[in-house]
Amino acid sequence: ALVALRPIAKRHMRLPAQLRTGTAALVGRHATVLEQVSESGGCVRLDGEVWTARPYDEDEVIEPGQRVHVMEIRGATALVTSE
């Protein structure tokens, strides 16, 4: 099954963001910090929804009001980096 599904998965990851669905479509988007984002957590507004967030670089602290770039989605948490 892995051999059959791997090429399909690789093609899906190469699709432009507007053709992706689910959380894959959110990677690469911009969000606004609502609550300070640090290693312990925080909140961002992403596509009109509030998401929990953590910094992609664990040492980074991002203050409310800043715009961030979504690098990855893990479960229900967006990993972000400041612009």
Side-chain angles (χ1 to χ4, degrees):
L2 181 60
V3 173
L5 294 177
R6 187 167 190 255
I8 295 168
K10 286 181 76 172
R11 275 194 307 264
H12 178 72
M13 292 307 293
R14 285 190 218 130
L15 290 174
Q18 60 269 39
L19 298 179
R20 294 184 189 165
T21 59
T23 58
L26 299 175
V27 174
R29 300 253 177 132
H30 298 282
T32 303
V33 177
L34 300 176
E35 294 177 12
Q36 183 184 60
V37 175
S38 65
E39 185 178 353
S40 60
C43 290
V44 296
R45 180 169 305 281
L46 175 60
D47 264 5
E49 298 178 346
V50 177
W51 281 74
T52 58
R54 286 186 295 121
Y56 191 72
D57 175 11
E58 295 176 0
D59 297 330
E60 190 174 15
V61 176
I62 307 167
E63 297 299 325
Q66 286 188 285
R67 292 202 21 104
V68 292
H69 183 75
V70 179
M71 301 296 290
E72 184 179 340
I73 301 286
R74 285 192 194 153
T77 302
L79 299 179
V80 299
T81 185
S82 57
E83 295 185 333

